[in-house]
Amino acid sequence: MTLTFDHVTLGQRVLFGTGAAAVNLAAEVARLGAGRVMVIASDFETPMARTVAAGIDVALWHHEVVMHVPIEAAEKARAAAVDAGIDLLVCVGGGSTTGLAKAIALTSGIPIIAVPTTYAGSEATNVWGLTEASRKNTGVDDAVLPVTVIYDAALTLSLPVDMSVASGLNGMAHCIDSMWAPRADPINAALGAEGIRALNRGLPLIVQDPTGAEGREQALYGAYLSAVAFASAGSGLHHKICHVLGGTFNLPHAQTHATVLPYVLAFNAPAAPEAAARIAAAFGTADALTGLQELRKRLDAPKALSDYGFTAEGIAQAVNIVLPAVPASNPRPATTENLTRLLQAALTGEDPRVLLDL
């Protein structure tokens, strides 16, 4: 990889400490001088959010969180924030909760403090996503980057093991996609590799000991690194595919990423030997796909898109939408034929090695 590059590091404060979320949130609200705080949390996350927010005055609670952030939900939340004179958003939850806060910030400029409870990574990026008329649209705007992220592994203990696995592999997808995304450079590649190492260590520990702190801390650390790498490198082939599957077919976000990832890796790795070698080294295996598949086996990871409602009838439509969005920088040219084959394999859970010599 050339050492001639243009790298942008996003400015953000990160507070990391198990059991320290409430104290850190109160300190940050005071530091920012906020007077009208809106807390966004789904119904499921609300009891936890109330504990986290116990030390602050909350002007407005908002619980209408919907996966993939439909524009209707965003507009309702935006209006509520304006009507209540909100000057600070606090989101406690996963990627959909953070995404709703970003939708509000996009049009209002209200700053965000993000308190993640999954390994989605959205909290560390300036990328927003909104779904309208069954199409998920994404963009980049520094207004949506949370000013502060508060990581607390104790808040992820309520995340079931299967969702922890899917969410963590979503973070892994950020790491791997960053190796060949449009703005890939040596800095975000290094962050992505360290993210792979941390997730590869942390996720099996969560499976072995769901109530232990070490695995959860490693996974959160890896998820943060993955998001920083992704924010810098941009959205690669994997994310283009998954955004279509989520926005157009309403497939669950984390499980879709976890399922599609080995197929994109198998598709791109032969055409990107330097990136593949770095991924393999991060896993500590002879080749990249072996490392990912060994981890997936240990985790009993999601295997087939058919398990989440996708059908063969949707493949042609998905390919038609994905194809124009594939970055020119993708190491392997994408065609209708090879993207169709990729989705056919992911649909049924076929061995991704069938794509290595496609």
Side-chain angles (χ1 to χ4, degrees), residues 22-260:
V23 171
N24 283 335
L25 178 60
E28 279 301 280
V29 171
R31 184 181 71 85
L32 294 171
R36 301 282 296 173
V37 179
M38 176 178 181
V39 177
I40 302 168
S42 69
D43 289 332
F44 174 77
E45 301 284 7
T46 293
M48 182 185 300
R50 290 192 180 278
T51 299
V52 172
I56 66 172
D57 292 326
V58 178
L60 179 65
W61 287 88
H62 189 86
H63 307 298
E64 297 178 43
V65 176
V66 183
M67 187 172 61
H68 304 304
V69 195
I71 187 66
E72 297 82 6
E75 289 176 346
K76 189 172 183 179
R78 288 166 173 170
V82 170
D83 290 346
I86 298 301
D87 60 4
L88 178 66
L89 304 169
V90 174
C91 52
V92 182
S96 298
T97 307
T98 307
L100 183 59
K102 286 182 171 185
I104 299 170
L106 182 65
T107 55
S108 67
I110 300 172
I112 302 170
I113 295 177
V115 187
T117 61
T118 71
Y119 311 114
S122 175
E123 68 279 354
T125 79
N126 57 354
V127 179
W128 56 266
L130 289 167
T131 300
E132 184 173 9
S134 297
R135 294 291 178 91
K136 187 166 186 176
N137 302 304
T138 62
V140 175
D141 195 311
D142 287 347
V144 308
L145 177 72
V147 295
T148 304
V149 184
I150 296 173
Y151 288 108
D152 182 343
L155 302 182
T156 68
L157 292 174
S158 64
L159 193 65
V161 169
D162 61 339
M163 273 305 301
S164 297
V165 166
S167 183
L169 289 173
N170 180 19
M172 185 71 75
H174 288 126
C175 296
I176 290 175
D177 222 20
S178 295
M179 298 294 177
W180 40 58
R183 298 187 302 279
D185 65 43
I187 295 175
N188 50 51
L191 293 171
E194 174 66 0
I196 292 170
R197 186 206 62 77
L199 288 163
N200 189 48
R201 178 185 173 195
L203 293 177
L205 290 176
I206 294 174
V207 173
Q208 294 166 21
D209 181 13
T211 62
E214 183 182 0
R216 303 277 181 175
E217 288 179 344
Q218 284 292 314
L220 271 182
Y221 167 61
Y224 169 71
L225 292 172
S226 77
V228 174
F230 174 70
S232 171
S235 183
L237 174 64
H238 172 89
H239 282 80
K240 299 302 183 184
I241 292 171
C242 291
H243 285 163
V244 170
L245 294 177
T248 302
F249 299 93
N250 201 35
L251 270 62
H253 184 84
Q255 292 91 336
T256 299
H257 281 271
T259 302
V260 170

